[in-house]
Amino acid sequence: MTTHSQQQRREAMPGSSLQDSLVALSGVTKTFGAVRALAGVDLSVGPGECIGLVGHNGAGKSTLMQILAGTLRPTDGRYDLGGETVALSDVSVSKAQGVGIRCVFQELSLCPNLTATENVRVRHAALSGFGWRKRAAKLLTEALDDIFPGHGISPGATVGDLSLGRRQMVEIAINFIATESSHPRLVILDEPTSSLDQSVASQLLAYARRFVEAGGSIILISHILGDIFSTAGRIVVMRDGAVVADRPASEFDRASLVAAMGHVAEDDEDEALAHAAKARIGEPVVIARPPKQANGAAVSLHRGEIVGLAGLAGHGQTALLRLVQHAAYHRSRLAEVRGRIAFVAGDRQSDGVFPLWSIGENVTIRSLPALSRLGFVSSAREAAMEAEWKDTLKIRTPDMDDNILTLSGGNQQKALFARALGSDAEIIAMDDPMRGVDVGTKREVYERIRKEAGEGRSFLWYTTEFDELLHCDHVYVFREGRIVAELDRGELTEEKVLQSSFDEAAA
Amino acid sequence: MARLDPKLLRAAVPALSLALLLVAIFIIQPRTMSYFGLNLMLNLALPIAFATMAQLFILTVNDLDLSIGGFVSMVACIAATWLNETPLLGIAALIASIAAYAALGALIHLRNLPSIVVTLGMSFVWLGCAVLLLPSPGGAAPDWLTAIVKFKMPFVPLAIVASAVLGLVVHFGLMRSAGGVVLRASGGNPQAVAKAGWSLLKLKVTMYALAGTFGVLSGLILVGTTTSADANIALRYTLLSIAGVILGGGEFTGGRVSPIGAVLGALTLALVGSLLSFLRISPEWQIGAQGLMLIVVLALRSLVNRFEERAQ
Amino acid sequence: MTSRLAKFQSIWQSAPYAFAFIGAMVIFAITLIANQGSGAGQIVSAALAFGSFYALVGIGQMFVITSGPGNIDLSVPANIALSGAVAMSIMGGSDAMIPLGLLAALGCGAAIGCVNYALISVLRIPPIIATLSSSFVVQSLAIVYGRGLRITPPPFLAEIATGRVAGIPILSVLVIALAGVMALVLHRSIYGRFLKAIGQNMNAASLAGIRVGLVRFGTYVLCAIFAALCGVLLAAFSGGASLNMGEEYLLASIAVVVIGGTSVAGGFSNVSGIWGAALFLYLLVTMMNTLGVGTGLRQILTGLIIVAVITLAGSRRGVRE
């Protein structure tokens, strides 16, 4: 619901002209190596605006916000702060903070070893000298009382001892604190309600509306569309690194918003994929229940199946895969795994690649016992496996003895696939493995997966790309750590997945 | 109040263990419950407490100092030679050594080096300097230094007062002051501190300089007590200081430290020896008892942590 | 300046052990020049003998350090003292008892390794603190057990530790052979591969199906056994166990690992560098003695070399402590 006064204001100054905007981006691009995260974005934020920012994973929302907040520098484009153009090389956090841009990121930036009051001091350098602690505690208590009446948080509590939700409340309150030297004028809230319960979340949204009415600006990123509709006056939709819609909230309804986020399937291989759902017969090889699941729903995987885990990033899919991986080696009360398992990491740096090793060593690590005699690895057999998989997956390298980091991201990912596919595993868990992989590589790997499944291997595939779900026999959609929908291949549509991924619940 | 607050419990452990130890000592050997007895027992604990504080500064920023023992030894040797014979040179040397500590902090931060290896190397350097200054045990503490350290306070022995002052001063500086908060923050979440606009380099250099300063104080007090020095005089302080911080409730990472706890921990470690000797247990077991105590405390702490995890 | 540093680092990365050997040779050459070319054989022989002990503890420490950032064994000196004392008292100077004494000492080392890992894994104590506190206890045991122990080593063992064939210490031949075996274990065995994988990325290693706990456990036990073996041989070498004979090996064991080109960030190590660094450290002492440099200056130079080596080699990866 947009308030009447807000709408009037917006109509009075359409599109909020660049002159009186707080921050304005035009034609901003950002590339990370070969990956283009932002492809020319225009966005301006004026005073007294609340912008709802929505988009699927990888649409570029976070990158855009980091550029607004000054933590990332744009590769190209124009960046205006308070009506003045800033040279791209001068873009910095302190510049952005200077005009009052504050940012509540998803990963908290509190120090867990300090009290809530002390964290206020770290963020606001002006709070020092005699009596700083009293002043900081007062500012924090006022902000908390203002935003979350009845919060019950003592400013003297150590942050590490607070629950996740309360930490989030402190983080939010700190960003709304005004000191003599710095006032918040634009606060970016990135999924602020993810760890707050319903009533607290609605307190925050109500505060956000008051803040905007008083002339402040807010950018709200949320997967709960109800929150966006109830709070934002203007909605910006991002897709594939670009803004695809930027209109008053009143011009959207739920269906049109979801439609704007999804993209038109441009794949020509859809035909081939439109296979009928297989009947699920026999004992499953994996049964796993998310820890937060209240009802009896569980992910089950049968022999020769490809099962997809869908939903927005970070909603419990990776945790479930790790649970399954763990259960293959240890006893677990949540998951049962019958068979050997291999894991294909999506976050290559932290979960997959051994950075000091050659491509070959990275491929064979999962299969060493099979390649050895009396505890020693046979060089010949190892080389044979390396050569075989270099050909099978067409890893583009002159030499498998080269360091793994000499490969492009896509080829590194192929090496990780080779590690799993070349092993003796009967079950392959895949953790959104196609992040940053080029189209050609993707096709090769999809084909391979379908072939392997046909031969009896089972795949548990977490993916954030809808097109990949089309390869699956069965799909589970996750939200907030729970399975919220279960779809057969036959009933799978992007609409349904998005509907389930974004929560209806209005605050 | 059905459940004990684990935070309170953790804070009380160092004080309780010291109290328990003192009670045991008083019961076994009532004569120690006197000005003279306490002074005797605690005199050698004071330099350990200062060295422990130096270690605490380093641990706060998630580093570890394996050279503090060698450093204190070197300071003791400087104090027993140059400071006594040519005071100006001595003072200059002490200031230079603090500057060297600060420079180490900068080096470790800028080149992103493992503090363990760097300080290990530096321990050779400090020790080498100590040997150069004082190849064989000897030297003499400046009279003024001995006078200060051996000053007889009315009613309460100097060692107790000094320990209390040490704990409180660092507590206010590091735990309560606005500057101290930022210093600790850099151990808790360095990225967030940098994002908030602070210079991590400056913070780290400050901590290393503080560690150097307290190392110097430790060496001076040590020489004042013993009146002479030798190059190996304080080598065991490295391990004792780490143990003292941990015993006092400090964590190994994450900027969680407690200066008052660290002083209590250092005193406890120093007094274990006295207790054992009163129990007529041969001094050989002293270091073992210190080790066991460390293990027991850490085991209890991990038990409490697990309990908390399960409760959540 | 920067490019020279980069060049240095690239050589360091392709042949990390080279610098230790080059350093050792340069120092050796300086010593010979100062000596006007005499005594080369003697110096080499002594370097091999003393270097053997550095190499023994260094290899064990290297395996622990390879298992990733934060892993280190500080209980080495106490372990050396206790194991040496145990071996000497059980052998009682008799050749017949050598196998039993050796077994007891190695068993004692293995037990210390088990305790270390139990503290790390069950009580979740960081390795430095865990091995530090266990070393306190072990040191006490060594003092109590070894008090007044004045037993000379069995003649056969003493011969192995001090004997020379054609000027080459028997001990060094054995330790070089052992180093060869350990190099094979490190580079070609499944265990070695698993260890290096864990050292680079514990998370990825676990997801690749490696039993991380088991491998780390084995590594701490291995290191402790090497320290125990060093204790036995050191006692045999110096005519009996003494309490402080392990003292210098804490710093030395870490120093040879770092100078030998092992990455303190874990996952990357080599055995030959350990030998190079062991010779380097001993020859450094000899050179400075020859040049009339006192112990003080020698220590300072040793320390500065360690700091310089780590500064130039840099950390292979970003922060991950």
Side-chain angles (χ1 to χ4, degrees), chain A residues 322 325 329-330 341-343 345 348-357 361 364-366 368-370 372 375-379 382 386 419, chain C residues 181 184-198 200-211 263 266-268 316-317:
Chain A
R322 282 171 185 272
Q325 159 85 17
Y329 294 92
H330 307 86
I341 193 166
F343 190 92
R348 286 188 291 274
Q349 246 156 37
S350 88
D351 298 340
V353 161
F354 297 108
L356 305 178
W357 271 356
E361 284 171 308
T364 55
I365 180 72
R366 173 67 180 72
L368 287 183
S372 345
F376 284 86
V377 183
S378 148
S379 304
E382 192 180 6
E386 291 173 11
R419 182 192 291 170
Chain C
V181 172
L184 211 59
V185 167
L186 180 69
H187 298 297
R188 297 280 359 146
S189 79
I190 299 191
Y191 160 76
R193 284 287 190 87
F194 282 179
L195 179 71
K196 285 191 278 183
I198 292 170
Q200 290 173 66
N201 190 338
M202 188 132 93
N203 215 354
S206 164
L207 287 172
I210 297 172
R211 299 293 190 104
S263 159
F268 180 84
R316 289 185 153 263
R317 277 176 289 154

Side-chain angles (χ1 to χ4, degrees), chain C residues 279-290:
Chain C
L279 295 177
F280 175 82
L281 274 189
Y282 179 78
L283 289 171
L284 191 67
V285 177
T286 318
M287 175 187 82
M288 291 197 239
N289 283 343
T290 316

Side-chain angles (χ1 to χ4, degrees), chain A residues 298-493:
Chain A
V299 170
S300 68
L301 173 72
H302 291 69
R303 191 169 175 277
E305 254 185 350
I306 305 175
V307 164
L309 308 180
L312 294 175
H315 279 247
Q317 302 95 331
T318 301
L320 188 94
L321 291 181
R322 282 171 185 272
L323 173 72
V324 170
Q325 159 85 17
H326 185 79
Y329 294 92
H330 307 86
R331 211 183 265 282
S332 162
R333 64 195 166 81
L334 293 167
E336 208 177 313
V337 179
R338 294 190 202 92
R340 294 179 294 272
I341 193 166
F343 190 92
V344 183
D347 188 341
R348 286 188 291 274
Q349 246 156 37
S350 88
D351 298 340
V353 161
F354 297 108
L356 305 178
W357 271 356
S358 72
I359 305 159
E361 284 171 308
N362 268 286
V363 169
T364 55
I365 180 72
R366 173 67 180 72
S367 308
L368 287 183
L371 300 174
S372 345
R373 196 174 296 139
L374 301 172
F376 284 86
V377 183
S378 148
S379 304
R381 278 196 254 173
E382 192 180 6
M385 177 178 177
E386 291 173 11
E388 183 196 337
W389 284 94
K390 181 181 182 223
D391 290 346
T392 315
L393 287 187
K394 305 192 185 69
I395 298 174
R396 283 176 200 99
T397 174
D399 191 345
M400 290 293 274
D401 288 336
D402 286 350
N403 184 279
I404 181 86
L405 299 181
T406 60
L407 292 180
S408 66
N411 278 294
Q412 284 182 30
Q413 198 62 47
K414 280 190 193 173
L416 297 188
F417 267 109
R419 182 192 291 170
L421 296 176
S423 74
D424 58 1
E426 296 143 341
I427 302 158
I428 312 264
M430 305 193 287
D431 179 24
D432 200 9
M434 301 298 186
R435 276 177 246 176
V437 174
D438 59 284
V439 182
T441 306
K442 280 183 184 174
R443 295 221 169 138
E444 290 167 26
V445 176
Y446 295 153
E447 208 174 300
R448 183 83 202 175
I449 290 172
R450 283 211 300 272
K451 178 166 166 275
E452 297 258 351
E455 290 162 7
R457 260 199 173 146
S458 321
F459 291 83
L460 203 51
W461 187 356
Y462 160 44
T463 169
T464 49
E465 289 181 35
F466 176 75
D467 289 348
E468 295 186 347
L469 292 175
L470 295 172
H471 299 271
C472 300
D473 301 307
H474 207 78
V475 171
Y476 295 88
V477 185
F478 279 66
R479 193 179 66 227
E480 284 158 8
R482 298 178 186 87
I483 301 168
V484 290
E486 195 180 334
L487 302 166
D488 245 347
R489 177 66 187 83
E491 43 185 0
L492 180 70
T493 62

